[in-house]
Tab-separated table of all heavy atoms in Angstrom:
chain	number	residue	atom	x	y	z
A	1	VAL	N	0.823	30.884	10.119
A	1	VAL	CA	-0.602	30.648	10.389
A	1	VAL	C	-1.096	29.584	9.518
A	1	VAL	O	-1.851	28.657	9.943
A	1	VAL	CB	-1.435	31.942	10.300
A	1	VAL	CG1	-2.899	31.709	10.351
A	1	VAL	CG2	-1.049	32.935	11.303
A	2	ASP	N	-0.699	29.547	8.241
A	2	ASP	CA	-1.187	28.685	7.290
A	2	ASP	C	-0.787	27.217	7.706
A	2	ASP	O	-1.442	26.214	7.606
A	2	ASP	CB	-0.672	28.980	5.935
A	2	ASP	CG	-1.460	30.238	5.389
A	2	ASP	OD1	-2.446	30.667	5.856
A	2	ASP	OD2	-0.923	30.784	4.259
A	3	LEU	N	0.617	27.194	8.084
A	3	LEU	CA	1.109	25.829	8.502
A	3	LEU	C	0.395	25.245	9.756
A	3	LEU	O	0.220	24.154	9.753
A	3	LEU	CB	2.613	25.963	8.727
A	3	LEU	CG	3.550	26.131	7.522
A	3	LEU	CD1	4.930	26.471	7.944
A	3	LEU	CD2	3.435	24.807	6.683
A	4	GLN	N	0.175	26.114	10.706
A	4	GLN	CA	-0.634	25.701	11.931
A	4	GLN	C	-2.045	25.171	11.489
A	4	GLN	O	-2.414	24.293	12.057
A	4	GLN	CB	-0.841	26.835	12.888
A	4	GLN	CG	0.562	27.184	13.583
A	4	GLN	CD	0.337	28.549	14.401
A	4	GLN	OE1	-0.566	29.084	14.449
A	4	GLN	NE2	1.538	28.849	15.177
A	5	ARG	N	-2.737	25.930	10.619
A	5	ARG	CA	-4.050	25.425	10.205
A	5	ARG	C	-3.858	24.157	9.471
A	5	ARG	O	-4.703	23.211	9.676
A	5	ARG	CB	-4.680	26.528	9.259
A	5	ARG	CG	-5.208	27.669	10.076
A	5	ARG	CD	-5.980	28.716	9.074
A	5	ARG	NE	-6.343	29.779	9.816
A	5	ARG	CZ	-6.544	30.899	9.210
A	5	ARG	NH1	-6.239	31.060	7.961
A	5	ARG	NH2	-6.884	31.986	10.035
A	6	PHE	N	-2.874	23.979	8.525
A	6	PHE	CA	-2.712	22.843	7.870
A	6	PHE	C	-2.347	21.639	8.855
A	6	PHE	O	-2.981	20.571	8.616
A	6	PHE	CB	-1.522	22.939	6.885
A	6	PHE	CG	-1.251	21.614	6.210
A	6	PHE	CD1	-1.915	21.211	5.049
A	6	PHE	CD2	-0.103	20.784	6.605
A	6	PHE	CE1	-1.752	19.926	4.562
A	6	PHE	CE2	0.110	19.727	5.971
A	6	PHE	CZ	-0.584	19.262	4.927
A	7	ASP	N	-1.524	21.918	9.805
A	7	ASP	CA	-1.213	20.801	10.715
A	7	ASP	C	-2.428	20.343	11.550
A	7	ASP	O	-2.703	19.210	11.703
A	7	ASP	CB	-0.037	21.295	11.695
A	7	ASP	CG	1.155	21.193	11.033
A	7	ASP	OD1	1.478	20.482	10.020
A	7	ASP	OD2	2.176	21.913	11.514
A	8	GLN	N	-3.334	21.343	11.818
A	8	GLN	CA	-4.534	21.006	12.488
A	8	GLN	C	-5.452	20.145	11.730
A	8	GLN	O	-5.905	19.068	12.177
A	8	GLN	CB	-5.385	22.270	12.900
A	8	GLN	CG	-5.205	22.843	14.311
A	8	GLN	CD	-5.971	24.024	14.424
A	8	GLN	OE1	-6.404	24.695	13.570
A	8	GLN	NE2	-6.235	24.367	15.848
A	9	LYS	N	-5.642	20.496	10.566
A	9	LYS	CA	-6.535	19.743	9.543
A	9	LYS	C	-5.933	18.335	9.288
A	9	LYS	O	-6.593	17.319	9.255
A	9	LYS	CB	-6.698	20.569	8.312
A	9	LYS	CG	-7.526	21.671	8.394
A	9	LYS	CD	-7.795	22.451	7.077
A	9	LYS	CE	-8.666	23.675	7.242
A	9	LYS	NZ	-8.910	24.414	6.041
A	10	PHE	N	-4.599	18.385	9.208
A	10	PHE	CA	-3.870	17.109	8.925
A	10	PHE	C	-3.984	16.209	10.104
A	10	PHE	O	-4.405	15.005	9.901
A	10	PHE	CB	-2.441	17.323	8.578
A	10	PHE	CG	-1.691	16.010	8.436
A	10	PHE	CD1	-1.893	15.141	7.290
A	10	PHE	CD2	-0.822	15.595	9.410
A	10	PHE	CE1	-1.179	13.962	7.282
A	10	PHE	CE2	-0.161	14.314	9.191
A	10	PHE	CZ	-0.330	13.546	8.205
A	11	ASN	N	-3.895	16.670	11.265
A	11	ASN	CA	-4.116	15.728	12.602
A	11	ASN	C	-5.503	15.316	12.644
A	11	ASN	O	-5.613	14.130	12.981
A	11	ASN	CB	-3.660	16.579	13.751
A	11	ASN	CG	-2.139	16.909	13.868
A	11	ASN	OD1	-1.355	16.021	13.187
A	11	ASN	ND2	-1.792	17.961	14.513
A	12	GLN	N	-6.364	16.115	12.269
A	12	GLN	CA	-7.970	15.653	12.166
A	12	GLN	C	-8.045	14.556	11.152
A	12	GLN	O	-8.682	13.487	11.387
A	12	GLN	CB	-8.769	16.757	11.809
A	12	GLN	CG	-8.963	17.783	12.918
A	12	GLN	CD	-9.757	19.013	12.570
A	12	GLN	OE1	-10.203	19.224	11.379
A	12	GLN	NE2	-10.252	19.842	13.526
A	13	LEU	N	-7.373	14.662	9.955
A	13	LEU	CA	-7.532	13.654	8.902
A	13	LEU	C	-6.795	12.401	9.373
A	13	LEU	O	-7.455	11.304	9.231
A	13	LEU	CB	-6.754	14.147	7.576
A	13	LEU	CG	-6.636	13.119	6.477
A	13	LEU	CD1	-7.903	12.825	5.855
A	13	LEU	CD2	-5.646	13.518	5.515
A	14	GLN	N	-5.706	12.520	10.015
A	14	GLN	CA	-5.026	11.149	10.538
A	14	GLN	C	-5.894	10.529	11.577
A	14	GLN	O	-5.896	9.370	11.509
A	14	GLN	CB	-3.535	11.591	11.075
A	14	GLN	CG	-2.587	11.762	9.933
A	14	GLN	CD	-2.280	10.641	9.081
A	14	GLN	OE1	-3.046	10.277	8.299
A	14	GLN	NE2	-1.014	10.110	9.311
A	15	GLY	N	-6.506	11.433	12.440
A	15	GLY	CA	-7.296	10.862	13.480
A	15	GLY	C	-8.524	10.139	12.933
A	15	GLY	O	-8.828	9.060	13.364
A	16	GLN	N	-9.143	10.715	11.816
A	16	GLN	CA	-10.349	10.097	11.235
A	16	GLN	C	-9.915	8.911	10.529
A	16	GLN	O	-10.628	7.803	10.413
A	16	GLN	CB	-10.889	11.119	10.222
A	16	GLN	CG	-11.702	12.384	10.905
A	16	GLN	CD	-12.045	13.205	9.882
A	16	GLN	OE1	-11.685	13.159	8.666
A	16	GLN	NE2	-12.810	14.382	10.251
A	17	THR	N	-8.771	8.883	9.845
A	17	THR	CA	-8.168	7.688	9.099
A	17	THR	C	-8.003	6.584	10.165
A	17	THR	O	-8.396	5.409	9.763
A	17	THR	CB	-6.968	8.079	8.257
A	17	THR	OG1	-7.281	9.236	7.446
A	17	THR	CG2	-6.447	6.922	7.471
A	18	THR	N	-7.422	6.886	11.257
A	18	THR	CA	-7.071	5.873	12.310
A	18	THR	C	-8.312	5.262	12.723
A	18	THR	O	-8.461	4.031	12.835
A	18	THR	CB	-6.212	6.417	13.372
A	18	THR	OG1	-5.032	7.051	12.774
A	18	THR	CG2	-5.901	5.467	14.324
A	19	THR	N	-9.324	6.073	12.955
A	19	THR	CA	-10.711	5.632	13.452
A	19	THR	C	-11.242	4.809	12.506
A	19	THR	O	-11.891	3.706	12.779
A	19	THR	CB	-11.494	6.909	13.769
A	19	THR	OG1	-10.891	7.650	14.717
A	19	THR	CG2	-12.854	6.420	14.330
A	20	ARG	N	-11.271	5.112	11.182
A	20	ARG	CA	-11.850	4.214	10.135
A	20	ARG	C	-11.183	2.967	10.057
A	20	ARG	O	-11.817	2.049	9.765
A	20	ARG	CB	-11.862	5.159	8.754
A	20	ARG	CG	-13.013	6.191	8.825
A	20	ARG	CD	-12.984	6.827	7.537
A	20	ARG	NE	-13.862	7.946	7.511
A	20	ARG	CZ	-13.708	9.086	6.917
A	20	ARG	NH1	-12.696	9.383	6.103
A	20	ARG	NH2	-14.675	9.990	7.006
A	21	ILE	N	-9.928	3.114	10.203
A	21	ILE	CA	-9.119	1.729	10.020
A	21	ILE	C	-9.528	0.814	11.078
A	21	ILE	O	-9.790	-0.376	11.004
A	21	ILE	CB	-7.649	1.993	9.973
A	21	ILE	CG1	-7.298	2.666	8.621
A	21	ILE	CG2	-6.778	0.666	10.105
A	21	ILE	CD1	-5.812	3.133	8.638
A	22	LEU	N	-9.557	1.361	12.329
A	22	LEU	CA	-9.857	0.592	13.487
A	22	LEU	C	-11.360	0.155	13.587
A	22	LEU	O	-11.616	-1.085	13.969
A	22	LEU	CB	-9.577	1.282	14.797
A	22	LEU	CG	-7.937	1.422	14.961
A	22	LEU	CD1	-7.798	2.381	16.266
A	22	LEU	CD2	-7.275	0.188	15.109
A	23	THR	N	-12.291	0.950	13.094
A	23	THR	CA	-13.715	0.636	13.150
A	23	THR	C	-13.999	-0.380	12.038
A	23	THR	O	-15.067	-0.931	12.099
A	23	THR	CB	-14.596	1.908	12.986
A	23	THR	OG1	-14.259	2.479	11.883
A	23	THR	CG2	-14.391	2.624	14.264
A	24	SER	N	-13.179	-0.443	11.069
A	24	SER	CA	-13.344	-1.555	9.880
A	24	SER	C	-13.045	-2.867	10.376
A	24	SER	O	-13.182	-3.783	9.664
A	24	SER	CB	-12.566	-1.127	8.716
A	24	SER	OG	-11.232	-1.369	8.852
A	25	GLY	N	-12.348	-2.902	11.576
A	25	GLY	CA	-12.040	-4.234	12.003
A	25	GLY	C	-10.578	-4.526	11.863
A	25	GLY	O	-10.067	-5.531	12.302
A	26	ALA	N	-10.019	-3.712	11.200
A	26	ALA	CA	-8.475	-3.983	10.829
A	26	ALA	C	-7.614	-3.417	11.957
A	26	ALA	O	-8.077	-2.519	12.809
A	26	ALA	CB	-8.026	-3.296	9.405
A	27	ASP	N	-6.443	-3.839	12.001
A	27	ASP	CA	-5.457	-3.291	13.068
A	27	ASP	C	-4.528	-2.427	12.336
A	27	ASP	O	-4.499	-2.333	11.108
A	27	ASP	CB	-4.677	-4.415	13.794
A	27	ASP	CG	-3.946	-5.321	12.959
A	27	ASP	OD1	-3.971	-5.089	11.765
A	27	ASP	OD2	-3.311	-6.157	13.466
A	28	LEU	N	-3.755	-1.712	13.176
A	28	LEU	CA	-2.847	-0.598	12.562
A	28	LEU	C	-1.609	-1.302	12.178
A	28	LEU	O	-0.508	-1.070	12.730
A	28	LEU	CB	-2.610	0.506	13.454
A	28	LEU	CG	-3.789	1.536	13.774
A	28	LEU	CD1	-3.399	2.567	14.801
A	28	LEU	CD2	-3.902	2.143	12.460
A	29	SER	N	-1.633	-2.140	11.212
A	29	SER	CA	-0.458	-2.808	10.460
A	29	SER	C	-0.715	-2.935	9.010
A	29	SER	O	-1.934	-2.647	8.628
A	29	SER	CB	-0.217	-4.146	11.167
A	29	SER	OG	-1.353	-4.983	10.822
A	30	GLY	N	0.265	-3.153	8.338
A	30	GLY	CA	0.150	-3.465	6.889
A	30	GLY	C	-0.527	-2.156	6.208
A	30	GLY	O	0.113	-1.117	6.122
A	31	SER	N	-1.545	-2.411	5.568
A	31	SER	CA	-2.121	-1.346	4.672
A	31	SER	C	-2.455	-0.101	5.531
A	31	SER	O	-2.379	1.030	5.027
A	31	SER	CB	-3.540	-1.922	3.958
A	31	SER	OG	-3.010	-2.932	3.120
A	32	GLY	N	-3.020	-0.353	6.659
A	32	GLY	CA	-3.436	0.809	7.528
A	32	GLY	C	-2.182	1.689	7.836
A	32	GLY	O	-2.259	2.806	7.764
A	33	LEU	N	-1.122	1.147	8.210
A	33	LEU	CA	0.164	1.808	8.433
A	33	LEU	C	0.646	2.482	7.224
A	33	LEU	O	1.155	3.667	7.261
A	33	LEU	CB	1.257	0.989	9.071
A	33	LEU	CG	1.147	0.580	10.594
A	33	LEU	CD1	2.222	-0.347	10.975
A	33	LEU	CD2	1.017	1.900	11.390
A	34	ARG	N	0.584	1.825	6.105
A	34	ARG	CA	0.883	2.455	4.815
A	34	ARG	C	0.183	3.749	4.475
A	34	ARG	O	0.717	4.691	3.887
A	34	ARG	CB	1.011	1.472	3.584
A	34	ARG	CG	2.045	0.360	3.692
A	34	ARG	CD	2.366	-0.231	2.394
A	34	ARG	NE	1.137	-1.209	2.123
A	34	ARG	CZ	0.918	-2.592	2.719
A	34	ARG	NH1	1.930	-3.036	3.456
A	34	ARG	NH2	0.043	-3.198	2.378
A	35	ILE	N	-1.029	3.519	4.729
A	35	ILE	CA	-1.905	4.689	4.483
A	35	ILE	C	-1.526	5.933	5.377
A	35	ILE	O	-1.454	7.059	4.835
A	35	ILE	CB	-3.487	4.337	4.768
A	35	ILE	CG1	-3.986	3.493	3.596
A	35	ILE	CG2	-4.417	5.539	4.784
A	35	ILE	CD1	-5.259	2.731	3.899
A	36	LEU	N	-1.443	5.571	6.678
A	36	LEU	CA	-1.044	6.764	7.657
A	36	LEU	C	0.349	7.322	7.215
A	36	LEU	O	0.547	8.539	7.195
A	36	LEU	CB	-0.970	6.218	8.971
A	36	LEU	CG	-2.413	5.830	9.602
A	36	LEU	CD1	-2.145	5.160	10.888
A	36	LEU	CD2	-3.172	7.044	9.621
A	37	HIS	N	1.282	6.387	6.825
A	37	HIS	CA	2.601	6.840	6.340
A	37	HIS	C	2.577	7.630	5.117
A	37	HIS	O	3.243	8.679	4.985
A	37	HIS	CB	3.518	5.730	6.188
A	37	HIS	CG	4.935	6.071	5.805
A	37	HIS	ND1	5.842	6.715	6.568
A	37	HIS	CD2	5.527	5.901	4.681
A	37	HIS	CE1	6.872	6.931	5.886
A	37	HIS	NE2	6.732	6.331	4.711
A	38	ASN	N	1.721	7.189	4.213
A	38	ASN	CA	1.699	8.072	2.926
A	38	ASN	C	0.917	9.347	3.218
A	38	ASN	O	1.482	10.313	2.606
A	38	ASN	CB	0.804	7.200	2.022
A	38	ASN	CG	0.593	7.878	0.615
A	38	ASN	OD1	1.688	8.203	-0.006
A	38	ASN	ND2	-0.469	7.928	0.041
A	39	ASN	N	0.059	9.368	4.088
A	39	ASN	CA	-0.547	10.765	4.422
A	39	ASN	C	0.451	11.662	5.054
A	39	ASN	O	0.594	12.821	4.663
A	39	ASN	CB	-1.757	10.553	5.369
A	39	ASN	CG	-2.967	9.890	4.793
A	39	ASN	OD1	-3.156	9.807	3.599
A	39	ASN	ND2	-3.943	9.517	5.669
A	40	GLU	N	1.246	11.138	5.925
A	40	GLU	CA	2.348	11.879	6.581
A	40	GLU	C	3.445	12.330	5.515
A	40	GLU	O	3.769	13.441	5.584
A	40	GLU	CB	3.171	11.011	7.621
A	40	GLU	CG	4.145	11.782	8.338
A	40	GLU	CD	3.536	12.948	9.116
A	40	GLU	OE1	2.543	12.758	9.821
A	40	GLU	OE2	4.217	14.065	9.100
A	41	THR	N	3.681	11.535	4.516
A	41	THR	CA	4.667	11.875	3.454
A	41	THR	C	4.103	13.007	2.656
A	41	THR	O	4.696	14.004	2.343
A	41	THR	CB	4.944	10.697	2.464
A	41	THR	OG1	5.511	9.731	3.251
A	41	THR	CG2	5.957	11.139	1.386
A	42	GLN	N	2.755	12.900	2.241
A	42	GLN	CA	2.038	13.976	1.402
A	42	GLN	C	1.948	15.202	2.277
A	42	GLN	O	2.091	16.311	1.777
A	42	GLN	CB	0.732	13.441	0.974
A	42	GLN	CG	0.744	12.189	0.119
A	42	GLN	CD	1.573	12.573	-1.210
A	42	GLN	OE1	1.321	13.802	-1.829
A	42	GLN	NE2	2.376	11.774	-1.622
A	43	ALA	N	1.752	15.119	3.637
A	43	ALA	CA	1.637	16.286	4.324
A	43	ALA	C	2.979	17.028	4.418
A	43	ALA	O	2.954	18.309	4.351
A	43	ALA	CB	1.286	15.846	5.887
A	44	GLN	N	4.113	16.328	4.577
A	44	GLN	CA	5.431	16.923	4.513
A	44	GLN	C	5.680	17.635	3.146
A	44	GLN	O	6.159	18.752	3.228
A	44	GLN	CB	6.446	15.985	4.919
A	44	GLN	CG	7.790	16.659	5.181
A	44	GLN	CD	7.691	17.723	6.214
A	44	GLN	OE1	7.263	17.507	7.358
A	44	GLN	NE2	8.247	18.839	5.948
A	45	LEU	N	5.261	17.003	2.086
A	45	LEU	CA	5.397	17.669	0.845
A	45	LEU	C	4.588	19.075	0.748
A	45	LEU	O	5.057	19.990	0.206
A	45	LEU	CB	4.978	16.641	-0.288
A	45	LEU	CG	5.876	15.572	-0.573
A	45	LEU	CD1	5.200	14.643	-1.600
A	45	LEU	CD2	7.185	16.064	-1.213
């Protein structure tokens, strides 16, 4: 249950992060991708 809740919250965070990156005018490359990748690494930890 804890892992399912964590994954839900993480997916929300990744969605919000993606939205913020795209609404800032940047595209999903470079720093934006590194941020998403770093989030995924931290989530797996």
